[in-house]
Structure formats: C-alpha cells, structure tokens
C-alpha cells in the first residue's frame, strides 16, 4: 500500500467505505425481501458481514494512516508522545523486557537521543493488529496508537462488546441463536445494530480524517 499524500489517504479510505456500505445495503435488502424460512439464516449471515466490515474498515484505516506517517518520515521529536511510545516499542520489536535495567536505559536513550534525529517508522503489517476480535479494549489500544481520543466509543461499548461481538462470536462458533433469548436476533434488532455500528465506523473515519487534515499528530519538541 502506498499512501503518499492526504488525497491518497482520503481516496483510499473512502473507496474502502463505499464498497462496504454497498454490501451492507445489499444484505439488508435480501433480508427484507426474504421469506421467514430464509430470513433467520440471512440475518445470521448479516451479523457476520457487519462484524467483518467493522473490523476490516478500522484495520484498513489504521494501516493507511501509518503508511502515510511512514512516508512523511517526520522525526519523532516532531510528533505527539504516542508516536515516541511506538518508536520505543519498535526499538524492542514490541517485546519490552521487564525488570531489566539495560532495557529501561535503552528506552530512555531512545527518547532523549534517538528521538531527536530518528524518523518515525513502524512495521505497519505487524503492528496494526485487531486480534480478529475488535472489541472496545482492542479499539482503545488502536486509538491510543493513532493518538486520537473519543468518548463516543466508550459510550457505545455495550453495542460493540455485548451485541455485535456477542452475536458474531456465537454464530462464528456454530451456536444456535433461534432458541436462545440472549442470542436471538430479529430483523429489527439487526437493523438497529447495523445502524449503530455504521455510525461508529463513520465516526472513526471522521476522527482519523481530522487527525490527518489538521495535523494534530504534530508537536515539535526538537532542540
């Protein structure tokens, strides 16, 4: 993936969003026009598709953001502290040894010395990890890596963890949902969940676009 400008970034993520919206619209139309004998299976399929687009889109946006940051090659000292934390993590290949003085000394050395001259770079493919289970905790970690903050996701944790992930995991693991009141999903339930998750996807997109457009990832502490 090559993201060399803001326009590249916007074109890429908006293209990603467009085809995902189209698929979700298609599955809703199929469910709406189906017979009752088919609708339950289609709703279960719709939940899996909704989760796939939730995880897939968040991951693609994060990846494209960091590919863009790699291309810009700003010095760590020009960036917000979260990027320096990423640099320290990358220095240790994301395996920081605990209770070892030399490791702490090396981390401090990176912050005080290397960050002044070294340019930001991370192994995007290895570091952007949704863990195939994009719950609120994993999402929060990704938001921290990006350097953006939003209470909106915390306010919607119930819909992410206790609805989308709960339904998706049950279906993906082969559990029946029609005979379980805690897992049974009506078409109206699915429409409500799809609306809420799509809104969260849009909110995430807006956060990251603003981060890029306003360059809020920058803060110069270079000497």
């Amino acid at each position: 993936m090559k993201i060399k400008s803001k326009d590249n970034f916007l074109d890429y993520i908006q293209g990603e969003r467009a085809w995902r919206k189209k698929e979700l619209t298609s599955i809703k139309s199929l469910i709406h026009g189906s017979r009752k004998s088919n609708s339950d299976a289609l709703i279960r399929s719709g939940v899996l598709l909704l989760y796939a687009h939730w995880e897939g889109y968040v991951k693609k946006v994060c990846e494209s953001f960091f590919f863009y940051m790699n291309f810009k090659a700003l010095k760590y000292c020009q960036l917000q502290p979260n990027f320096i934390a990423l640099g320290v993590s990358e220095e240790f290949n994301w395996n920081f040894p605990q209770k070892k003085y030399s490791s702490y000394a090396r981390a401090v050395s990176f912050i005080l010395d290397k960050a002044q001259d070294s340019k930001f770079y991370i192994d995007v493919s290895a570091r952007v990890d949704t863990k195939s289970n994009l719950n609120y905790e994993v999402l929060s970690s990704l938001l921290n890596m990006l350097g953006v903050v939003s209470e909106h996701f915390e306010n919607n944790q119930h819909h992410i963890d206790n609805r989308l992930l709960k339904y998706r995991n049950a279906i993906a693991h082969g559990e029946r949902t029609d005979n379980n009141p805690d897992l049974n999903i009506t078409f109206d339930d699915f429409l409500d969940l799809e609306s809420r998750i799509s809104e969260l996807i849009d909110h995430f997109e807006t956060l990251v676009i603003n981060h890029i457009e306003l360059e809020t990832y920058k803060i110069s502490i270079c000497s």
Side-chain angles (χ1 to χ4, degrees), residues 27-34 36 39-40 43 185-194:
I27 193 68
K28 285 188 291 184
S29 296
L30 283 172
I31 299 170
H32 180 72
S34 68
K36 172 60 179 173
S39 64
D40 288 346
I43 289 170
I185 313 161
T186 67
F187 184 41
D188 286 341
D189 292 333
F190 175 71
L191 289 178
D192 178 69
L193 183 59
E194 190 276 333

Side-chain angles (χ1 to χ4, degrees), residues 64-80:
S64 59
F65 173 83
F66 284 116
F67 278 123
Y68 176 63
M69 294 301 296
N70 280 350
F71 176 78
K72 286 183 73 68
L74 295 170
K75 292 180 180 179
Y76 283 99
C77 63
Q78 295 175 280
L79 298 170
Q80 294 282 357

Side-chain angles (χ1 to χ4, degrees), residues 181-211:
D182 290 333
L183 297 174
N184 187 45
I185 313 161
T186 67
F187 184 41
D188 286 341
D189 292 333
F190 175 71
L191 289 178
D192 178 69
L193 183 59
E194 190 276 333
S195 176
R196 291 180 184 276
I197 298 302
S198 291
E199 188 276 330
L200 290 177
I201 290 173
D202 289 341
H203 181 72
F204 181 77
E205 178 181 292
T206 299
L207 276 179
V208 182
I209 287 176
N210 288 342
H211 201 32

Side-chain angles (χ1 to χ4, degrees), residues 142-198:
L142 291 172
L143 291 172
N144 289 334
M145 286 173 61
L146 292 169
V148 295
V149 178
S150 175
E151 293 182 0
H152 189 59
F153 294 110
E154 183 178 0
N155 294 337
N156 283 275
Q157 183 176 357
H158 168 74
H159 301 296
I160 297 170
D161 292 352
N162 300 326
R163 296 185 68 197
L164 179 61
L165 266 294
K166 179 181 177 181
Y167 296 151
R168 173 261 188 177
N169 289 341
I171 295 167
H173 295 150
E175 294 186 34
R176 288 185 65 176
T177 54
D178 58 338
N179 64 345
N180 187 333
D182 290 333
L183 297 174
N184 187 45
I185 313 161
T186 67
F187 184 41
D188 286 341
D189 292 333
F190 175 71
L191 289 178
D192 178 69
L193 183 59
E194 190 276 333
S195 176
R196 291 180 184 276
I197 298 302
S198 291

Side-chain angles (χ1 to χ4, degrees), residues 7-221:
D7 287 342
N8 283 163
F9 175 80
L10 292 173
D11 288 346
Y12 178 78
I13 67 169
Q14 287 170 358
E16 278 287 320
R17 187 70 179 108
W19 77 267
R20 296 174 191 279
K21 279 186 175 180
K22 185 177 180 180
E23 276 206 350
L24 290 171
T25 299
S26 295
I27 193 68
K28 285 188 291 184
S29 296
L30 283 172
I31 299 170
H32 180 72
S34 68
R35 296 179 179 179
K36 172 60 179 173
S37 57
N38 296 325
S39 64
D40 288 346
L42 287 171
I43 289 170
R44 283 164 59 89
S45 299
V47 170
L48 295 179
L49 190 64
L50 178 59
Y51 173 79
H53 287 317
W54 162 245
E55 179 185 319
Y57 187 69
V58 168
K59 184 172 183 177
K60 291 295 184 182
V61 171
C62 289
E63 288 177 341
S64 59
F65 173 83
F66 284 116
F67 278 123
Y68 176 63
M69 294 301 296
N70 280 350
F71 176 78
K72 286 183 73 68
L74 295 170
K75 292 180 180 179
Y76 283 99
C77 63
Q78 295 175 280
L79 298 170
Q80 294 282 357
N82 61 289
F83 294 95
I84 298 176
L86 287 171
V88 172
S89 300
E90 199 73 17
E91 179 83 0
F92 289 91
N93 196 29
W94 289 60
N95 186 30
F96 190 88
Q98 296 182 352
K99 297 181 180 180
K100 194 173 181 182
Y101 173 79
S102 61
S103 298
Y104 297 109
R106 184 175 162 191
V108 171
S109 176
F110 178 92
I111 295 169
L112 296 179
D113 301 324
K114 272 190 159 183
Q116 295 296 314
D117 299 308
S118 299
K119 294 178 179 179
F120 174 81
Y121 179 86
I122 64 168
D123 182 348
V124 178
S125 299
R127 307 314 176 203
V128 177
D129 185 8
T130 55
K131 304 186 184 301
S132 298
N133 193 51
L134 187 57
N135 56 26
Y136 173 71
E137 181 180 357
V138 174
L139 177 64
S140 294
S141 178
L142 291 172
L143 291 172
N144 289 334
M145 286 173 61
L146 292 169
V148 295
V149 178
S150 175
E151 293 182 0
H152 189 59
F153 294 110
E154 183 178 0
N155 294 337
N156 283 275
Q157 183 176 357
H158 168 74
H159 301 296
I160 297 170
D161 292 352
N162 300 326
R163 296 185 68 197
L164 179 61
L165 266 294
K166 179 181 177 181
Y167 296 151
R168 173 261 188 177
N169 289 341
I171 295 167
H173 295 150
E175 294 186 34
R176 288 185 65 176
T177 54
D178 58 338
N179 64 345
N180 187 333
D182 290 333
L183 297 174
N184 187 45
I185 313 161
T186 67
F187 184 41
D188 286 341
D189 292 333
F190 175 71
L191 289 178
D192 178 69
L193 183 59
E194 190 276 333
S195 176
R196 291 180 184 276
I197 298 302
S198 291
E199 188 276 330
L200 290 177
I201 290 173
D202 289 341
H203 181 72
F204 181 77
E205 178 181 292
T206 299
L207 276 179
V208 182
I209 287 176
N210 288 342
H211 201 32
I212 291 279
E213 292 280 12
L214 301 176
E215 297 187 338
T216 49
Y217 50 81
K218 285 185 178 180
I219 179 172
S220 181
I221 56 173

